[in-house]
Amino acid sequence: MKILLTLSLLNCLIFGATACAQETATAQSADTVVLYAGGDLAGWVGRDDLWSAEDGQIVGRTTDEKPIDGNTFLIYEKEEFGNFELTAEFKIEGGNSGIQYRSRVIDEDKFVVSGYQADIDDANKFAGILYEEKARGILALRGETVTIGADGEKTKVRFGDAEKLGNGIHPGKWNDFRVVAAGNHLQHFINGAMTSEVIDEQSDKAAKSGIIALQLHKGPAMTVRFKNIKIRKL
C-alpha cells in the first residue's frame, strides 16, 4: 500500500490531476474486498433453512411456524478484518438484525458469534447503536459518543438527538450502513449520518480484528436483506 501511495503521489506531480485520480482509485481498489455483490452465498456459512440468495441480495428469514430459539448468524469465512470501512445496504421487515464485525465464533454448530454489532431493527429503536453481542451489551446508544476506560467505566457525550437521527432511517426500505473501525475508534453511519461512536480503551475486552457476520434474531417472524457489502481496508 505504501508503494502504491508513493507512486500515486509521483504521478500527481508529473502528470497532474487526471493521473492522480486514476492512481488513487487503483490504490483504493487494491485494498477493497467485495463480500457480496450478488450471486450465490459462496464464502458465507450459516443455516441453509434461514439464509438464501435472492435477486442479488442476501436474505435472512424466520417464520412464526418455525421460530428460532436463539440468535443465529451468516458468517463470512474467507477472511478476518481489523481496520476497515465497511459499506452495505440493508432492508428489514420485523424483528432485529445487525452486522457483526471484529467478532468470533462461539458455537460452530449453531452459527453463533460474539463481538461488536452495528444494530438494525424494524422498530427503529436500536438501529445504528453499537451493541456487543454475547459480551458487554449496549456500548453506545444512538446519538452518543462513548469512551470506555481501561476499567470498563463509560464516559458519554451526546452529539445528536436519538429520535431525530432515527427519522433518517427507514424500516421496510433500503438504507445505507457504513461502519468505520480504526484502532480502538469505532463509528456507525446510516444514510450518511453518524449514529454512534465508541473509543474502546478496555484492552482486555476490545477486539482488534475478527469476522464479519449478519444476524437473525430470535423472536417474531422477520425478514432482513443485505446487498452490496464491501470492505475497504485501512
Side-chain angles (χ1 to χ4, degrees):
M1 180 61 182
K2 289 181 180 179
I3 295 172
L4 284 172
L5 289 175
T6 302
L7 291 174
S8 178
L9 179 59
L10 185 61
N11 245 8
C12 290
L13 295 173
I14 298 173
F15 299 108
T18 301
C20 180
Q22 291 173 343
E23 288 293 337
T24 300
T26 300
Q28 290 179 342
S29 63
D31 282 334
T32 298
V33 180
V34 177
L35 278 64
Y36 187 77
D40 60 25
L41 296 182
W44 297 83
V45 293
R47 285 182 53 174
D48 294 336
D49 59 327
L50 301 177
W51 295 98
S52 60
E54 303 173 10
D55 301 322
Q57 307 161 21
I58 293 177
V59 181
R61 185 181 288 112
T62 65
T63 65
D64 288 328
E65 292 73 25
K66 294 183 178 180
I68 57 176
D69 59 5
N71 300 347
T72 187
F73 298 80
L74 184 70
I75 301 164
Y76 186 75
E77 62 175 355
K78 284 187 174 182
E79 187 176 351
E80 295 189 359
F81 301 93
N83 296 319
F84 60 84
E85 177 187 52
L86 179 149
T87 55
E89 296 177 61
F90 73 89
K91 182 195 291 188
I92 188 167
E93 298 167 354
N96 182 287
S97 181
I99 302 170
Q100 294 287 143
Y101 60 98
R102 289 188 182 176
S103 296
R104 59 190 179 88
V105 178
I106 60 174
D107 188 331
E108 292 184 0
D109 295 332
K110 294 185 177 180
F111 305 102
V112 178
V113 309
S114 173
Y116 296 130
Q117 181 187 117
D119 211 320
I120 299 166
D121 73 315
D122 181 69
N124 214 7
K125 180 179 179 181
F126 300 109
I129 76 167
L130 203 165
Y131 181 80
E132 192 174 34
E133 180 82 7
K134 308 294 184 186
R136 291 172 290 176
I138 294 176
L139 300 185
L141 292 171
R142 200 158 58 207
E144 287 185 341
T145 293
V146 177
T147 300
I148 306 173
D151 58 358
E153 290 294 316
K154 297 178 182 177
T155 302
K156 302 179 182 180
V157 176
R158 180 155 290 281
F159 66 81
D161 181 83
E163 184 175 351
K164 289 181 179 178
L165 287 168
N167 290 338
I169 305 169
H170 311 295
K173 298 181 180 180
W174 286 106
N175 298 268
D176 297 320
F177 217 135
R178 181 163 70 97
V179 177
V180 180
N184 67 351
H185 189 190
L186 314 170
Q187 296 174 301
H188 294 174
F189 301 80
I190 298 182
N191 297 330
M194 187 168 75
T195 56
S196 61
E197 180 179 39
V198 167
I199 296 91
D200 195 348
E201 298 176 347
Q202 194 174 7
S203 58
D204 60 327
K205 296 185 182 296
K208 295 179 175 60
S209 66
I211 61 169
I212 302 296
L214 309 174
Q215 184 190 59
L216 269 176
H217 205 285
K218 67 178 181 179
M222 63 168 291
T223 300
V224 64
R225 301 171 184 271
F226 297 92
K227 63 181 180 179
N228 299 327
I229 309 172
K230 298 180 182 180
I231 276 188
R232 181 172 66 87
K233 297 178 183 178
L234 303 178

